[in-house]
Amino acid sequence: MGELEDAVMTRVWKWNRPVTVREVLEDLQQERSIAYTTVMTVLDNLHQKGWVRREAEGRAYRYEAVSTRAAYAAALMNDAWSQSDNPAAALVAFFGMMSEEQRGALSDAVRIVQGPETPEAAPDTAGENPGAAQEDDGR
């Protein structure tokens, strides 16, 4: 995705609702000079690429994201990783570039993917029954 496509998709993802070319144009114009037809072309290209779906509303369209920004980022990472001739080395290099916060997010994601942990086996107590109440009969 190019820089302008990303700028347009950022708005579509942020608003999380069907948007018009005019809405995207007006928001983009706060940062840069851009023409209506340019935004219309970018949204049409994003539609052709499958990133947005559109529905006719009068003479215009409303555009809506097909997937989330997180799914897009995951697809980018998967594509880059799959192009490596040494995936393990690529992952090690990638992890080395991560901030502490990113590594924490990675650990959280791994825990989510792995599902709930099963409790580890209780330590061997050599025949004792630690769960039974011990009675003191005074002897």
Side-chain angles (χ1 to χ4, degrees), residues 62-91:
R62 283 203 172 266
Y63 295 87
E64 186 174 18
V66 170
S67 66
T68 65
R69 182 167 205 118
Y72 172 68
L76 286 176
M77 289 186 286
N78 186 57
D79 185 49
W81 185 47
S82 67
Q83 292 180 31
S84 173
D85 61 347
N86 187 339
L91 283 173

Side-chain angles (χ1 to χ4, degrees), residues 21-22 31 40 48 58 60 65 86 88-89 93 124 129 133 137:
V21 172
R22 175 82 43 211
E31 299 172 1
M40 185 173 62
Q48 297 296 324
N86 187 339
D124 185 9
N129 187 354
D137 62 1

Side-chain angles (χ1 to χ4, degrees), residues 1-137:
M1 187 178 304
E3 186 268 331
L4 187 52
E5 288 175 328
D6 183 68
V8 169
M9 281 305 301
T10 294
R11 279 132 183 103
V12 174
W13 282 317
K14 180 177 80 174
W15 294 333
N16 197 28
R17 63 174 173 75
V19 299
T20 64
V21 172
R22 175 82 43 211
E23 290 174 307
V24 175
L25 171 72
E26 289 173 358
D27 198 58
L28 284 171
Q29 284 179 330
Q30 294 176 23
E31 299 172 1
R32 64 178 87 193
S33 177
I34 189 167
Y36 181 93
T37 54
T38 302
V39 176
M40 185 173 62
T41 299
V42 169
L43 280 164
D44 185 60
N45 290 343
L46 290 166
H47 177 256
Q48 297 296 324
K49 291 178 178 183
W51 286 106
V52 295
R53 64 177 145 275
R54 66 185 181 195
E55 188 172 314
E57 184 175 281
R59 294 181 13 212
Y61 288 108
R62 283 203 172 266
Y63 295 87
E64 186 174 18
V66 170
S67 66
T68 65
R69 182 167 205 118
Y72 172 68
L76 286 176
M77 289 186 286
N78 186 57
D79 185 49
W81 185 47
S82 67
Q83 292 180 31
S84 173
D85 61 347
N86 187 339
L91 283 173
V92 169
F94 180 62
F95 296 157
M97 294 177 200
M98 295 174 113
S99 68
E100 190 63 38
E101 181 181 335
Q102 290 169 323
R103 283 192 294 276
L106 175 64
S107 294
D108 292 344
V110 168
R111 278 192 293 278
I112 290 167
V113 170
Q114 289 177 338
E117 293 183 24
T118 57
E120 295 199 20
D124 185 9
T125 56
E128 296 177 10
N129 187 354
Q134 293 182 355
E135 295 182 22
D136 183 5
D137 62 1

